[in-house]
């Protein structure tokens, strides 16, 4: 009997995911393996005030950098976490902090670069939540709220041990819970949203309007406000205290609704450390 010809199947051929993280400050991309290791990275600044095509051009440039590497042939699928709101059901995005993208067909734009690869879109909050539940601070928890506090404020939920992105990919978007009904108007149309109070640009805006003066380098970022707060500047501290109060109100409201076990906070503003977390814990109690 003549033996049948055999063909070797390379199990490693498609063992990477192309990941995109799209926010108001940066567009980051990576090729990620099954253990969560970032094999290749790429990054561009977000032209947040450019038109839709300009922003999409930077997304395509990040993907192009990844696609130009020798590892691209191993990519099995593409995952996108975008500033929201998003509509995963139709592949569009409406980021509050990227005005040029309104009902923008992001998934279709990505497919022009990635071809036939499957593409999954969720809000950046649920994307961060999936990562924290997989390997981070929410690992092993049956219910959690995970938050990104950065240029904007996003969030996501784990319920009954599973990510709960909701039908459009926006569930847990704590940034647009209103915690001050008479507060400042938010670009989303509501007043007193958590994001309008606790995001990095709004922490800096409030400090500047209260009389805080940046240092000789002219840095007016939330990180500079955090340095001043750590040094005892009362206006800088007050701005972080107000942000902490808004975050605590949003966390408490979420806990009342779905009985979360833990709240996890990441993003650039979390780098302020105890300048943010000390008043946050106090307000949450």
């Amino acid at each position: 009997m003549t033996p049948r010809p055999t063909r070797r199947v390379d199990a490693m051929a498609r063992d990477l995911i192309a990941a995109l993280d799209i926010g108001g400050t940066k567009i980051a991309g990576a090729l990620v393996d099954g253990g969560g290791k970032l094999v290749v990275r790429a990054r561009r600044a977000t032209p947040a005030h450019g038109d839709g095509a300009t922003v999409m051009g930077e997304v395509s440039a990040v993907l192009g950098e990844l696609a130009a590497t020798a590892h691209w042939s191993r990519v099995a699928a593409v995952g996108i976490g975008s500033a929201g709101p998003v509509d995963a059901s139709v592949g569009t995005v409406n980021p509050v902090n990227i005005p040029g993208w309104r009902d923008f067909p992001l998934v279709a734009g990505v497919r022009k670069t990635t071809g036939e690869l499957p593409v999954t879109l969720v809000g950046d909050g649920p994307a961060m939540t999936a990562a924290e539940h997989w390997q981070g601070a929410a690992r092993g928890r049956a219910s959690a709220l995970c938050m990104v506090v950065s240029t904007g404020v996003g969030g996501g939920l784990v319920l009954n041990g599973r990510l709960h992105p909701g039908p459009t990919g926006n569930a847990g978007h704590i940034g647009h819970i209103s915690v001050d009904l008479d507060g400042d108007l938010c670009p989303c149309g509501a007043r007193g949203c958590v994001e309008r109070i606790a995001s990095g640009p709004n922490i800096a805006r409030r400090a500047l309007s209260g009389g805080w003066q940046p240092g000789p380098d002219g840095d007016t970022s939330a990180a500079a406000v955090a340095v001043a707060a750590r040094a005892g500047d009362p206006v800088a501290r007050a701005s972080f205290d107000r942000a902490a109060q808004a975050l605590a109100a949003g966390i408490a409201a979420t806990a009342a609704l779905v009985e979360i076990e833990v709240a996890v906070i990441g993003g650039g503003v979390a780098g302020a450390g105890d300048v943010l977390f000390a008043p946050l814990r106090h307000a949450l109690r």
Side-chain angles (χ1 to χ4, degrees), residues 26 32 80 83-84 99 107 185 205 213 224 244 283:
K26 72 178 187 305
V32 187
I80 308 169
V107 169
L185 183 66
R205 176 184 60 83
Q213 297 291 324

Side-chain angles (χ1 to χ4, degrees), residues 1 49 68 88 90 104 118 129 132-133 169 204 222 225 233 235-236 241-242:
M1 178 183 241
H49 297 290
V90 294
F104 189 83
T129 301
E132 292 291 346
H133 192 236
V225 179
D233 185 291
V235 176
D241 288 352
R242 182 71 183 96

Side-chain angles (χ1 to χ4, degrees), residues 21-32:
D21 173 18
I22 301 172
T25 302
K26 72 178 187 305
I27 299 165
L31 302 184
V32 187

